[in-house]
Amino acid sequence: MTKLGRKKVTEVRGRGGNIKHRALRIDNGNFSWGSESISRKTRVIDVLYNATNNELVRTKTLVKNCIVRIDATPFREWYLKHYDVELNKKKVEDSAKLRGKKSKHVEAVLKNRKDNRKVDQKFIDQFNSNNLLACISSRPGQSGRLDGYVLEGRELDFYIKKMEKKRK
């Protein structure tokens, strides 16, 4: 029963003298962006949805396969560096001023990357609020770690619909 809060991990003795790391509270983790094949450590902001029990959402309990809101800043910074494209519409003007001179080779590489990139519009819209929806893929109460992946594509559509139903 891992809660959302400042990190507190205890060691628990298991069979054979092995040690488990049980996360009692945890507030950040390693989340991957599957279509871009990157992973970044980021802060977990809130627990939004759990298919098994609404009580786990109310008490902000982190379990496997629960949907959480994470901070999008590390992914946005990587995208700006890798593609030279700002995902947050509010900061487009600011980033244009900050860009310095680049060599022709670097500009050609960035141009090629820009031409070949494909990202879903609903996914990009999440960057305006600086929050991304993610799913937890590890078991924090068993491993003491919080790992997961960012939702995109049909899975993102599915959970957005589920959460809108819940609100109504």
Side-chain angles (χ1 to χ4, degrees):
M1 299 300 280
T2 306
K3 305 288 185 196
L4 187 62
R6 203 180 94 248
K7 187 173 183 175
K8 181 179 181 184
V9 178
T10 61
E11 291 183 346
V12 179
R13 186 182 180 280
R15 285 179 61 107
N18 294 327
I19 294 175
K20 288 183 182 180
H21 297 280
R22 177 154 294 152
L24 301 176
R25 288 192 307 264
I26 198 161
D27 62 349
N28 55 23
N30 201 26
F31 289 89
S32 64
W33 184 354
S35 64
E36 296 294 334
S37 300
I38 63 155
S39 181
R40 292 289 180 262
K41 187 168 184 166
T42 184
R43 183 174 55 98
V44 177
I45 298 170
D46 196 12
V47 178
L48 297 177
Y49 180 79
N50 193 320
T52 57
N53 194 345
N54 285 333
E55 186 71 15
L56 298 177
V57 176
R58 189 183 64 77
T59 58
K60 309 270 186 254
T61 303
L62 299 169
V63 294
K64 185 176 180 177
N65 286 333
C66 74
I67 306 302
V68 294
R69 180 181 289 138
I70 62 171
D71 185 22
T73 305
F75 296 104
R76 188 174 40 80
E77 289 172 351
W78 176 85
Y79 203 83
L80 178 62
K81 184 178 174 185
H82 191 74
Y83 290 108
D84 201 30
V85 174
E86 180 64 59
L87 289 175
N88 192 347
K89 291 179 183 175
K90 298 171 190 170
K91 295 193 176 189
V92 172
E93 300 85 22
D94 298 338
S95 63
K97 295 175 187 174
L98 295 175
R99 294 186 188 131
K101 284 190 171 182
K102 293 183 176 85
S103 68
K104 289 183 181 179
H105 176 73
V106 171
E107 287 178 356
V109 168
L110 290 174
K111 184 181 181 301
N112 187 26
R113 285 180 184 164
K114 280 183 193 178
D115 295 341
N116 296 331
R117 69 187 174 99
K118 293 177 184 167
V119 181
D120 188 29
Q121 188 59 41
K122 283 189 178 179
F123 185 73
I124 291 175
D125 292 340
Q126 292 183 4
F127 282 96
N128 292 331
S129 62
N130 205 30
N131 296 323
L132 295 175
L133 294 182
C135 182
I136 296 175
S137 59
S138 67
R139 298 170 66 195
Q142 299 291 320
S143 63
R145 300 170 46 116
L146 185 62
D147 300 321
Y149 58 94
V150 175
L151 297 177
E152 50 188 338
R154 293 176 63 194
E155 195 174 10
L156 176 63
D157 297 339
F158 174 80
Y159 283 112
I160 287 174
K161 286 178 187 174
K162 281 284 190 186
M163 285 184 268
E164 285 178 3
K165 268 186 189 177
K166 220 178 198 182
R167 288 184 197 134
K168 293 179 182 177

